[in-house]
Amino acid sequence: MSEISQKPRFEPGAFTPYAFIMPAIVVMMGGLLYPVVMAFYLSFYDWEIGRKLADAPFVSFDHFVRMVADPQVWEVLWVTIRFGFWTITIEMTLGVALALLLEKPIRGASIFRTIFILPLMVSPVVVGLIWRYLFDARIGWINYYLGVWFGIEPQVWLGDPQLAFFAIVFTDIWQWTPFIFIIVIAGLQALPSEVVEASTIDGANWYQQIFLVKLPMIKSILVIALLMRLIDVFRGLEVMLIMTGGGPGRSTELLSLHIYNRAFDTQQLGYASAISVLLIAIVFGISTVILTMANPMKSKSDV
Amino acid sequence: MTGVVLKNVSKSYGTVNIIPDLNLQIEEGEFVVFVGPSGCGKSTTLRMIAGLEKVTGGQIFIAGRDVTWERPKARDIAMVFQSYALYPHMNVADNMSFALRLAGTDKSEIASRVKLAADMLELTPYLDRKPRDLSGGQRQRVAMGRSIVRDAYCFLFDEPLSNLDAKLRASMRTELALLHKKLDRTMIYVTHDQIEAMTMADRIVIMKDGVVQQVGSPKDVYNTPVNTFVATFIGSPSMTLVPAELHEEAGQLKVKGQGFELPLPDRLKQQAQASGAKVVTLGLRPEHFSAEARTQDFAPVELTVKVAEYIGSSQYLAAELGGASLTAAVEVGPEADLLSDGRYYFDTSRLYLFDPETGAAL
């Protein structure tokens, strides 16, 4: 009498979970993986729109060799890094500061919170349009009020390389500070109040409480916010495309906008793909470094 | 005036009055436990002593100093929280030394104090670990270590053992009592668990709806509860309250309930006569029932047993005595089967009488 119960070969319900994740996998494959693979593939060919892909000549690593020596690529990369540095530094500082200010349930805090996140709800294309007109040299409100209130002469905001760079940095801060704010305030409100109280009893003042207790405890949230903004910097192009088109010169041309211009203005699809591969490599590299330095998935928040 | 003194302390949130008027004197070195059901204001009182809540009125003195409006760090207190409230990003040593580092204490002094506390709590092997790598009991110890290191005048505990399992809780109770002996500091401890209160306290403060019901040693509050609330709150299983009447029969005072009658002990005769009460609430503690008459004070009672629970050395009976439902805890020997209906005895020298209107003890 062998009473060892046998595992059934096939359980009818075993397929069910796969059926549920199937749509997500199909969308991921078609919408995400396929374009990325195609970008890699295209970067080895010299292809123009209108010509059959099969007829495109294979150019091996020519595009990559050209890219390394291309001063334009280095220039837009430098613009992107400067843009990322200023926007992310200021957005993180401002967002965290605002979150710390509005964390306490003071009167009207909920109204302020709602107002602060409004820019986040505006589509980037519309943001570009709004600020293009606000910064407009002749009819823009900014020049008008600078003149009325401070007596400052009208500036050609979007026509001067440095002013244009300032304008896109300013616009990005206007739109994305709320994003940091909303993530950080959610993190602060989820902090266990007893830990904060314990630090009060331990004698921490307001400043020490923020820098030695609160911010370290929401570190993983800060890292995720930073990561998402960094990826956005390498990805975003709508606002620049509409406000300045990357100009004057290449002073506001971010890497992704440069790829767009190469691909669709100058029809260099293969070369644009090669630069895309560089972009993927950079984003992947930065993400890996940040995640190894501070892995938000690793630090369980059991307190 | 040393120790911790609360003088006419009150607290309201908006129009809701949590604590109307609280007066209490805690001696230096005393272990006082605040106990009561949730929402009775015990935690709020502790938090006012800590300075985490502002008082609405009244004064708080610690070590003879008026600290009513002082910030927590100026009160010379240490506090242990229910959730331990450890800093998750710091290791055990840093958690324990945080307050000292903020105060700018000398490095070697910090090291020696942390070592002392860690040795006392057997935490030395874990000093480099983060809280998330510790068990619940170890975390609780770190939380205590953090307050010991401070060497404060007064230690405050807010239900510190509630998150531990039953066995660990019992051993931590002993450790806490030992700690109190070693440190000889004033300790104020909040709990909803009357067993914790009874086992550890020098004095127990029993609160209900923000009002102190009774302050006394564990012996006092168990043996001479001032009202029905204290009587039913202290003791496990709880005292049974039964409506009854007093009447005199052949010159002897008796207390008569629905379908039963018990003689009144000498202890209560005078009070019962003096109060002139006719209708009373009778209080019977489960543990004063017995299977045999041990002294002449034991009066026979006929119990109808609905359910008998085997506990070990005794059995808990959900039973009926005449028309009243009650709980009896009857000691049994190793051979006893589950008890059933029959004649039991009650130690009438330990019965209680209360005023049915006010609930106050007669």
Side-chain angles (χ1 to χ4, degrees), chain A residues 4-300:
Chain A
I4 299 163
S5 53
Q6 273 202 329
K7 199 179 166 194
R9 288 255 168 81
F10 174 76
E11 285 178 59
F15 184 69
T16 318
Y18 298 101
F20 279 114
I21 60 168
M22 209 52 210
I25 289 181
V26 168
V27 170
M28 288 277 283
M29 288 292 180
L32 238 129
L33 200 62
Y34 175 74
V36 171
V37 171
M38 279 313 282
F40 273 95
Y41 176 81
L42 269 180
S43 63
F44 294 104
Y45 289 85
D46 203 357
W47 184 51
E48 286 167 23
I49 296 177
R51 196 196 290 182
K52 269 191 184 166
L53 184 55
D55 297 340
F58 179 73
V59 295
S60 180
F61 285 97
D62 279 7
H63 288 321
F64 291 98
V65 174
R66 179 180 160 201
M67 184 173 76
V68 173
D70 189 342
Q72 285 190 19
V73 170
W74 289 107
E75 192 186 343
V76 296
L77 202 57
W78 179 233
V79 171
T80 311
I81 290 168
R82 269 163 55 226
F83 177 77
F85 173 79
W86 287 113
T87 54
I88 293 174
T89 310
I90 295 171
E91 283 162 17
M92 289 293 278
T93 316
L94 219 56
V96 170
L98 279 174
L100 286 166
L101 272 176
L102 293 178
E103 170 202 15
K104 290 267 158 55
I106 50 168
R107 195 186 303 251
S110 62
I111 298 169
F112 275 116
R113 273 179 231 160
T114 316
I115 292 174
F116 278 136
I117 61 169
L118 279 177
L120 214 51
M121 300 177 195
V122 183
S123 132
V125 174
V126 177
V127 170
L129 286 170
I130 293 171
W131 286 93
R132 188 172 87 188
Y133 289 112
L134 286 176
F135 276 117
D136 190 278
R138 285 180 303 115
I139 58 161
W141 275 19
I142 291 174
N143 267 347
Y144 175 75
Y145 282 108
L146 280 180
V148 170
W149 289 340
F150 305 104
I152 294 174
E153 292 288 305
Q155 305 288 320
V156 191
W157 287 102
L158 302 179
D160 175 274
Q162 273 169 11
L163 289 181
F165 183 76
F166 169 83
I168 62 163
V169 167
F170 187 89
T171 306
D172 196 79
I173 291 168
W174 178 83
Q175 189 176 20
W176 289 106
T177 302
F179 172 75
I180 309 289
F181 166 75
I182 203 168
I183 293 189
V184 172
I185 203 162
L188 286 174
Q189 281 171 342
L191 283 184
S193 60
E194 288 198 338
V195 179
V196 179
E197 285 173 351
S199 71
T200 309
I201 288 191
D202 273 345
N205 58 32
W206 180 81
Y207 167 87
Q208 290 164 328
Q209 208 159 55
I210 288 172
F211 286 96
L212 301 178
V213 179
K214 285 183 182 176
L215 291 186
M217 280 177 80
I218 59 165
K219 193 182 88 182
S220 53
I221 286 172
L222 294 176
V223 169
I224 288 175
L226 175 71
L227 199 62
M228 292 177 85
R229 285 304 301 133
L230 261 171
I231 292 170
D232 270 350
V233 163
F234 282 95
R235 197 192 55 173
L237 63 89
E238 305 97 321
V239 176
M240 281 45 88
L241 180 66
I242 287 164
M243 276 177 77
T244 63
R250 250 176 290 282
S251 57
T252 60
E253 189 163 314
L254 300 189
L255 191 55
S256 53
L257 183 55
H258 184 69
I259 294 170
Y260 175 88
N261 286 343
R262 289 273 186 187
F264 301 106
D265 273 9
T266 61
Q267 292 280 313
Q268 299 168 308
L269 285 163
Y271 188 45
S273 295
I275 306 174
S276 307
V277 170
L278 173 72
L279 187 146
I280 291 172
I282 291 172
V283 171
F284 185 77
I286 293 174
S287 312
T288 313
V289 168
I290 290 178
L291 287 178
T292 4
M293 266 165 30
N295 189 346
M297 271 67 113
K298 200 180 67 191
S299 57
K300 292 177 290 174

Side-chain angles (χ1 to χ4, degrees), chain A residues 194 197 199 202 212 302-303, chain B residues 47 83 87-89 132 150:
Chain A
E194 288 198 338
E197 285 173 351
S199 71
D202 273 345
L212 301 178
D302 53 353
V303 274
Chain B
R47 291 168 61 81
S83 65
Y87 309 119
H89 55 289
R132 66 167 170 271
R150 296 275 308 278

Side-chain angles (χ1 to χ4, degrees), chain B residues 344-359:
Chain B
Y344 295 86
Y345 296 87
F346 186 80
D347 185 354
T348 57
S349 69
R350 321 230 11 204
L351 65 75
Y352 300 90
L353 294 179
F354 302 95
D355 185 324
E357 300 269 311
T358 63

Side-chain angles (χ1 to χ4, degrees), chain B residues 5 9 27 65 84 103 127 136 145 156 160 162 188 194 227 249 257 261-262 291 302 304 345 354 361:
Chain B
V5 178
V9 168
E27 305 297 335
R65 208 159 47 90
Y84 321 133
L127 284 176
L156 308 174
S162 306
I188 306 175
Q194 56 98 17
N227 57 30
E249 205 179 275
E261 199 177 61
L262 293 170
E302 299 295 332
T304 314
Y345 296 87
F354 302 95

